[in-house]
Amino acid sequence: SLADPVNPVRIGALEQGLAGPRLQLRDTLLFAVDNGHLLVISVGNPTAPVVIQDTAAGLVDFVLNDTFLYGRTTVWPGGYVFSITDPRHARLLSTFDPHVLTNMVAPAAIDDTLLVFGVRTVGLVVHSIAVPDSPTLVGSARLSDDVLGLAVVGDTVYTSLVTRYRLVRMPSGIELKPIGGVEVRPLRVWPSVAKSVLNIEGRDEAALFDASGRRVLHLKSGAND
């Protein structure tokens, strides 16, 4: 419960564990992967979440928009497309095999018309999903390092790297143009075990929590008593 955002409180739990890399919430439904199974979990009653659909599809990762879910699988060289127009009854539409997805890593992002992946040894890869069950490769950009996180907002792709990219729509496809980024200065905290004074260096915010998870102190740059 985030009724009091300063003090998040656990109010419910799912009885089974979830072994997949991704969870995505849509209104009162939670989509998850557990050992290859696509799970749709109702959290309409947040104190008692319940699995309302369990589809054994060999999925290892997925992304979704309002109407479709694209999942990568290890048992078929490509993935699956599910219709989630009725999310309580996710329905398999077809399989797809865009070749580069066989090397897909966890980061992925989606909007109404584009599907963006971070791919090992390649960088960013953009597919058109104008035809939902047949994604078409429309653009890519080589990067110097693996992408750890992705988000698409309008015509901008934000990555966990310093650089962000502009999606330029052209007759022949998509061109990704780097447009700069934001320097991140992570916190440095010492000593690792503190009994009296904790030192912080950096611009990010920090806080001190007690054992129950309640925030008890805002921490500032410098020495904190």
Side-chain angles (χ1 to χ4, degrees):
S1 170
L2 299 177
D4 178 5
V6 176
N7 184 31
V9 177
R10 190 178 80 171
I11 58 176
L14 192 67
E15 291 184 0
Q16 71 186 82
L18 298 176
R22 191 179 299 277
L23 299 168
Q24 289 195 240
L25 187 64
R26 286 292 184 275
D27 298 324
T28 60
L29 296 175
L30 185 68
F31 292 82
V33 169
D34 179 50
N35 288 319
H37 288 237
L38 171 64
L39 303 181
V40 183
I41 303 164
S42 172
V43 290
N45 177 6
T47 62
V50 58
V51 175
I52 60 175
Q53 180 168 352
D54 182 340
T55 303
L59 294 181
V60 293
D61 197 12
F62 70 91
V63 290
L64 56 84
N65 59 16
D66 290 338
T67 54
F68 296 102
L69 181 146
Y70 294 83
R72 181 171 66 102
T73 173
T74 57
V75 298
W76 193 79
Y80 294 124
V81 181
F82 287 85
S83 169
I84 55 171
T85 304
D86 178 2
R88 294 178 179 273
H89 300 91
R91 178 170 56 89
L92 178 63
L93 291 179
S94 64
T95 56
F96 66 91
D97 187 17
H99 172 70
V100 75
L101 297 194
T102 57
N103 291 321
M104 187 181 91
V105 293
I110 191 172
D111 67 6
D112 291 338
T113 60
L114 296 176
L115 186 61
V116 183
F117 293 104
V119 180
R120 291 188 183 94
T121 73
V122 176
L124 290 178
V125 176
V126 183
H127 285 78
S128 167
I129 52 172
V131 181
D133 59 352
S134 182
T136 304
L137 179 64
V138 292
S140 64
R142 290 201 171 271
L143 301 178
S144 60
D145 202 355
D146 286 346
V147 178
L148 300 179
L150 275 177
V152 177
V153 182
D155 284 336
T156 305
V157 177
Y158 295 88
T159 77
S160 56
L161 305 174
V162 170
T163 307
R164 68 186 193 275
Y165 290 81
R166 181 74 70 204
L167 287 161
V168 181
R169 289 172 167 82
M170 308 172 66
S172 59
I174 294 288
E175 183 178 338
L176 287 158
K177 292 187 174 181
I179 56 174
V182 178
E183 179 186 357
V184 176
R185 182 182 174 190
L187 288 174
R188 190 166 75 93
V189 181
W190 75 95
S192 57
V193 177
K195 295 182 179 180
S196 56
V197 175
L198 183 69
N199 298 286
I200 293 181
E201 181 181 90
R203 292 196 296 264
D204 293 337
E205 291 186 358
L208 180 68
F209 296 83
D210 66 16
S212 70
R214 181 180 297 275
R215 182 160 59 181
V216 294
L217 186 65
H218 288 280
L219 301 176
K220 63 183 187 301
S221 183
N224 292 266
D225 187 350

